[in-house]
C-alpha cells in the first residue's frame, strides 16, 4: 500500500501535488477539464484587498522552454473572493490555499485577519515575491528584516497555517528562508518567477507592457532545484518546491532536493492534465521502488 | 475539451499560407464561428506554449474542422510540416463566437490577411440563415491572397483588395469597404478580423456609422481558457473598464467595448 499524503507540518494534504498560484485562477476555468478533487491543493490566484486591474498588454511572451509573464496581480479583490469564489469552491472537495499580496504590511495583516475566520480555507500563502507590481510584493521578500516584520505581524493576525513564498531574485535565499522560519512561517514555498525581459528588435522596445516580467517553465528548473536544496539545509520547516515541473522525473528532483510537496504552474497551460498525471506517476514510482510514502525520498540528495 | 485530432489534409494554398483539415467529430459538432483551437505544435519544450488558431470551417457531417494559418514564426513553421495521418493535441473549441443578428439583414465581413479565416466559417452559417453576405478581403499582394472563393458558397459577394494593387482594389480592405458604404451599401451588421490597426480603424469609424460591429481580436495566449489572464485586453462594459482575457471573454468583442 502506498501512502500519497503530504505532511506539511500543520497542513496535511491528500497528495503532494498542488497548483502554483496564478496559473489556475480560482479553479473555475479548469473545473470543466478535470476533477478539482484530485488536486493536492488548489492555491488560488494572488488576492489583494481591493480589486486590481493588472498590467497593460502584452503581458506574456514565450521564451526558450518557458515564458515571461507580467500580469500584475489582476484579481477581483477580497470582497468578491469571499462572496463569489470561495462559496463556489466549497462545492468541490478540494483543499483551498489562498495566496495573498499587498502594497503595505497592513494589507497583508487585514487580508490574513479577514480570511482567518472563513470556513473552507486551509492555509494562507504570503506572496512576498511578485516581481510584476510596483509596490509591495517582492519588496517585502528580498530582505530578512522586512520578511521578519511582516511575517510576525501576519502570524499574530491569523491562526491558519502560514506558507511564505520566496523569491529567487535574491543573493542568499537560505538567509531569507531562515528569517521566515524564525518569524513564524509554518511552511516555505519556492521559487516564484525569475525576473527577465525580452526586447522586440522590430520596435526596438521591451516586448512586455510592464517592461520586465517573471520567467517560469522548465528554463528555471535547475535554479529552483538548487534553491530548494539550499533552503532544505537551512531550515527545519517543510518546503513546497516549484519551478518548471512538467514531468514525474522533474517532480522527483524537487522531493530529493528536500521538498515535501511540489506545485505545478506553467505546465498547466500546455497540458491541463499535468497534475493528475504527476499524481499517478508518483504513485507508480513509489510502487516500482517499493517505497511506502513520498516521505522516504524527501531530501535524499543530501545523503552522503 | 482536450483531444488528439487526426490531420487529414495539409496543403499550401498560397504563399506562406496553409490549409489544415483536422478530423475530430466532437469538436466539429461543437464548434461555432469565431471560436478557436489551442494547438500544441509538438510534444517538446520548443515551441513551449500552445498556439491559438481560428476555426475556418467545421462540418459536423464529415467530422472535420478547417484551419487556415500563415507561417509567421517558429511555431507555425513547424506546424506547416505536419503530415497527413499525424495527430495534433488540440484544446477546444474555445472562446466566444460571433453573435449574428436574427432576421434577414445584409452582413458585411471585413478581413485583413489571414484574419479572413474565422469569417469564412461565419459566412457559411450566415448564408444558411438566408442572409445576403458581402466579404471585403484584403492582403498585401496578389501572392498573399487566399483563394477564398473555394471556401465559400457562390451566393457570397466577394470584393478583393491588395495594398500594392497587384490584384483587385488597390489599397486596404477597409478602404474598399468604405467605398462600398459610400456607394450605398447598408449593412445590418459588420464582422471583422485582421491586424489590430485595421480593427482599431474600423472601430473608430464605427463611432459615427454606429452599425452593430463585432471584432475578432488576436493576442498571444498561454492557457487559452481564462485562467492566466495573459492575453487580457482592456474592455469597456458600461461605465467600467477592465482587462478581460481574449481567450475566454473573446476573441469576439463588440467594437464599442474595446479600449484601444
Amino acid at each position: 500500500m502506498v501512502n500519497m499524503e503530504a505532511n506539511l507540518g500543520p497542513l496535511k494534504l491528500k497528495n503532494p501535488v498542488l497548483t502554483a498560484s496564478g496559473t489556475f485562477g480560482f479553479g473555475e476555468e479548469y473545473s470543466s477539464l478535470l476533477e478539482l478533487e484530485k488536486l493536492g491543493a488548489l492555491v488560488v490566484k494572488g488576492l489583494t484587498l481591493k480589486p486590481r486591474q493588472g498590467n497593460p498588454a502584452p503581458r506574456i511572451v514565450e521564451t526558450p522552454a518557458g515564458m515571461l509573464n507580467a500580469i500584475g496581480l489582476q484579481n477581483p479583490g477580497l470582497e468578491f473572493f469571499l462572496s463569489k469564489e470561495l462559496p463556489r469552491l466549497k462545492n468541490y472537495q478540494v483543499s483551498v490555499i489562498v495566496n495573498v499580496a499587498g502594497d503595505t504590511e497592513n494589507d497583508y495583516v487585514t487580508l490574513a485577519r479577514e480570511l482567518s475566520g472563513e470556513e473552507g480555507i486551509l492555509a494562507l500563502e504570503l506572496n512576498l515575491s511578485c516581481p510584476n507590481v510596483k509596490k509591495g510584493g517582492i519588496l517585502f521578500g528580498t530582505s530578512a528584516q522586512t520578511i521578519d516584520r511582516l511575517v510576525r505581524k501576519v502570524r499574530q493576525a491569523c491562526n491558519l497555517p502560514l506558507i511564505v513564498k520566496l523569491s529567487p531574485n535574491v543573493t542568499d535565499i537560505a538567509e531569507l528562508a531562515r528569517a521566515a522560519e524564525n518569524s513564524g512561517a509554518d511552511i516555505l514555498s519556492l521559487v516564484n518567477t525569475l525576473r527577465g525581459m525580452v526586447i522586440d528588435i522590430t520596435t526596438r522596445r521591451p516586448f512586455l507592457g510592464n517592461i520586465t516580467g517573471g520567467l517560469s517553465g522548465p528554463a528555471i528548473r535547475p535554479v529552483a532545484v538548487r534553491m530548494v536544496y539550499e533552503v532544505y539545509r537551512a531550515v527545519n520547516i517543510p518546503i513546497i518546491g516549484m519551478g518548471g515541473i512538467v514531468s514525474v522525473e522533474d517532480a522527483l528532483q524537487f522531493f530529493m532536493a528536500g521538498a515535501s510537496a511540489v506545485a505545478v504552474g506553467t505546465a498547466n497551460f500546455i497540458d491541463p492534465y499535468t497534475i493528475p498525471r504527476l499524481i499517478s506517476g508518483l504513485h507508480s514510482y513509489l510502487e516500482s521502488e517499493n517505497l511506502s510514502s513520498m516521505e522516504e525520498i524527501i531530501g535524499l540528495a543530501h545523503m552522503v | 475539451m482536450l483531444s488528439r485530432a487526426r490531420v487529414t489534409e495539409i496543403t499550401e494554398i498560397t504563399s506562406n499560407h496553409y490549409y489544415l483539415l483536422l478530423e475530430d467529430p466532437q469538436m466539429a459538432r461543437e464548434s461555432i464561428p469565431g471560436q478557436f483551437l489551442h494547438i500544441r505544435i509538438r510534444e517538446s519544450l520548443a515551441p513551449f506554449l500552445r498556439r491559438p488558431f481560428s476555426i475556418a470551417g467545421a462540418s459536423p457531417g464529415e467530422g472535420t474542422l478547417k484551419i487556415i494559418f500563415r507561417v509567421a514564426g517558429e511555431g507555425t513553421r513547424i506546424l506547416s510540416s505536419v503530415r497527413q495521418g499525424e495527430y495534433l493535441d488540440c484544446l477546444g473549441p474555445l472562446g466566444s463566437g460571433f453573435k449574428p443578428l436574427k432576421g434577414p439583414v445584409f452582413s458585411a465581413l471585413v478581413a485583413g490577411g489571414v484574419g479572413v479565416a474565422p469569417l469564412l466559417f461565419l459566412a457559411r452559417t450566415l448564408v444558411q440563415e438566408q442572409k445576403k453576405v458581402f466579404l471585403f478581403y484584403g492582403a498585401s499582394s496578389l501572392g498573399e491572397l487566399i483563394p477564398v472563393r473555394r471556401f465559400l458558397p457562390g451566393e457570397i459577394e466577394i470584393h478583393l483588395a491588395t495594398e500594392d494593387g497587384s490584384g483587385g482594389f488597390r489599397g486596404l480592405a477597409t478602404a474598399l469597404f468604405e467605398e462600398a458604404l459610400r456607394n450605398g451599401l447598408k449593412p445590418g451588421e459588420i464582422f471583422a478580423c485582421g491586424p489590430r490597426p485595421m480593427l482599431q480603424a474600423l472601430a473608430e469609424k464605427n463611432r459615427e456609422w454606429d452599425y452593430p460591429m463585432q471584432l475578432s481580436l488576436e493576442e498571444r495566449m498561454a492557457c487559452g481558457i481564462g485562467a492566466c489572464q495573459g492575453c487580457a485586453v482592456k474592455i469597456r462594459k458600461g461605465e467600467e473598464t477592465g482587462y478581460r482575457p481574449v481567450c475566454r471573454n473573446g476573441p469576439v468583442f463588440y467594437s464599442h467595448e474595446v479600449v484601444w
Side-chain angles (χ1 to χ4, degrees), chain A residues 34-170:
Chain A
L34 52 90
E35 295 168 63
L36 298 183
E37 287 80 0
K38 293 208 166 139
L39 306 172
L42 170 60
V43 184
V44 303
K45 183 154 178 49
L47 184 70
T48 52
L49 218 41
K50 296 275 178 267
R52 283 183 89 124
Q53 285 222 343
N55 287 329
R59 291 173 164 188
I60 56 167
V61 59
E62 188 180 64
T63 61
M67 63 181 283
L68 283 176
N69 88 78
I71 311 299
L73 288 178
Q74 177 177 343
N75 81 91
L78 176 67
E79 202 181 304
F80 187 89
F81 174 76
L82 290 178
S83 64
K84 294 286 193 311
E85 303 289 3
L86 188 58
R88 189 182 46 72
L89 282 169
K90 284 180 189 164
N91 296 326
Y92 304 94
Q93 297 294 315
V94 60
S95 302
V96 174
I97 295 174
V98 182
N99 179 289
V100 295
D103 292 341
T104 64
E105 284 182 355
N106 264 341
D107 284 359
Y108 284 93
V109 170
T110 311
L111 280 161
R113 193 183 300 124
E114 298 287 325
L115 292 165
S116 189
E118 289 293 326
E119 210 182 303
I121 300 174
L122 220 64
L124 292 189
E125 181 177 62
L126 295 189
N127 183 351
L128 307 184
S129 43
C130 178
N132 297 324
V133 292
K134 289 198 178 59
K135 290 190 285 182
I138 200 164
L139 291 181
F140 292 108
T142 47
S143 103
Q145 277 170 319
T146 51
I147 287 183
D148 183 82
R149 271 175 59 117
L150 182 63
V151 175
R152 276 179 206 281
K153 285 189 180 177
V154 173
R155 178 74 288 169
Q156 283 169 4
C158 89
N159 43 29
L160 287 168
L162 211 55
I163 305 166
V164 172
K165 186 163 182 177
L166 299 175
S167 168
N169 303 303
V170 296

Side-chain angles (χ1 to χ4, degrees), chain A residues 19-39:
Chain A
T19 65
S21 175
T23 63
F24 223 78
F26 294 95
E28 190 210 345
E29 295 84 4
Y30 282 96
S31 63
S32 59
L33 287 167
L34 52 90
E35 295 168 63
L36 298 183
E37 287 80 0
K38 293 208 166 139
L39 306 172

Side-chain angles (χ1 to χ4, degrees), chain A residues 22-25 28-30 33 45 53-57 59-63 65-67 71 74 207 217-218 266 269-273, chain B residues 1-2 38 40 45 47-51 89 91 219-223 225-234 241-245 248:
Chain A
T23 63
F24 223 78
E28 190 210 345
E29 295 84 4
Y30 282 96
L33 287 167
K45 183 154 178 49
Q53 285 222 343
N55 287 329
R59 291 173 164 188
I60 56 167
V61 59
E62 188 180 64
T63 61
M67 63 181 283
I71 311 299
Q74 177 177 343
F207 185 90
T266 310
F269 304 155
I270 296 141
D271 177 7
Y273 298 106
Chain B
M1 61 164 284
L2 194 65
H38 211 25
R40 189 168 182 188
L45 299 180
F48 185 60
L49 297 172
R50 289 173 181 270
R51 299 286 191 273
D89 175 338
L91 191 58
E219 274 296 329
R220 283 169 197 252
M221 290 179 187
C223 74
I225 58 173
C228 75
Q229 300 289 343
C231 62
V233 291
K234 208 168 216 180
T241 63
Y243 288 99
R244 297 287 174 269
R248 188 170 167 102

Side-chain angles (χ1 to χ4, degrees), chain A residues 177-199:
Chain A
R178 273 191 296 266
E181 178 183 35
N182 293 336
S183 48
D186 297 302
I187 301 159
L188 299 174
S189 59
L190 60 143
V191 297
N192 206 316
T193 55
L194 277 149
R195 280 184 89 188
M197 76 186 288
V198 164
I199 290 170

